[in-house]
Amino acid sequence: MNETLQRWLTLSREELDDIYRKAKPGSIPQGDTQGTAILAGGPFPRLFATVARLLAWQGKVFDLFKPNFDSGVLVNKISPAGINLIAAKVYRDHSWMDGKDTIVIDYSKTSLFARQIRDEIREVEPGLYLGKVWWGNHRILDFALETNT
């Protein structure tokens, strides 16, 4: 696990929000990413991240559209087997957190199960993204994505 990501697991929600606000969107990831759920400020954050990865969510697989690779689709890797399920549209838009540019992962038109969910990600360092999960208008969780670069 990336050293920066290890540090994120020790931070409060407010500290993670500050990191997110300072980051630029960066490039939209392409291909397979490894995900880490972050329960900021919660009890046993490393244990939560490990259990979530083993039993529920391992990351996302992005497929971007040409010509400029500024939008596309993705699927989440779900279950202990990492089955590709729960599709979303990916595009650039304004963040619900601070109104600045971000990468949006939008499930509203692609998933009956997750239609209330919207993720936002920004690239904090090359290949490492910090994400925010919204359920309706409420933020519920943070997460990280690591690319294979």
Side-chain angles (χ1 to χ4, degrees), residues 1-146:
M1 183 182 294
N2 176 299
E3 186 176 307
T4 301
L5 176 51
Q6 289 183 35
R7 187 173 59 79
W8 288 355
L9 293 174
T10 68
L11 299 179
S12 70
R13 190 174 205 182
E14 293 77 20
E15 291 169 315
L16 287 172
D17 289 350
D18 287 342
I19 292 168
Y20 181 83
R21 285 184 184 103
K22 292 175 185 172
K24 303 275 187 217
S27 302
I28 297 176
Q30 175 73 344
D32 195 11
T33 64
Q34 182 173 3
T36 302
I38 303 173
L39 186 60
F44 309 108
R46 290 183 198 283
L47 178 62
F48 176 82
T50 300
V51 170
R53 181 174 293 149
L54 288 173
L55 299 178
W57 178 73
Q58 292 79 38
K60 301 176 185 293
V61 180
F62 290 79
D63 187 15
L64 303 181
F65 302 137
K66 293 180 180 179
N68 57 7
F69 298 103
D70 242 10
S71 65
V73 294
L74 67 73
V75 291
N76 284 273
K77 298 184 294 186
I78 305 291
S79 84
I83 298 168
N84 291 340
L85 294 171
I86 309 178
K89 292 184 178 185
V90 182
Y91 53 87
R92 295 177 182 277
D93 203 352
H94 299 290
S95 170
W96 286 359
M97 178 174 285
D98 61 12
K100 296 178 185 174
D101 288 341
T102 196
I103 299 166
V104 173
I105 301 169
D106 182 357
Y107 298 90
S108 66
K109 298 198 176 23
T110 58
S111 173
L112 194 56
F113 173 76
R115 84 170 8 155
Q116 298 276 342
I117 303 293
R118 170 188 163 117
D119 298 341
E120 299 181 0
I121 60 173
R122 288 186 179 152
E123 192 172 21
V124 176
E125 58 185 50
L128 181 63
Y129 296 79
L130 178 59
K132 306 294 179 180
V133 180
W134 298 85
W135 185 346
N137 293 328
H138 303 287
R139 210 174 80 235
I140 59 170
L141 195 65
D142 294 278
F143 67 97
L145 291 175
E146 296 176 272

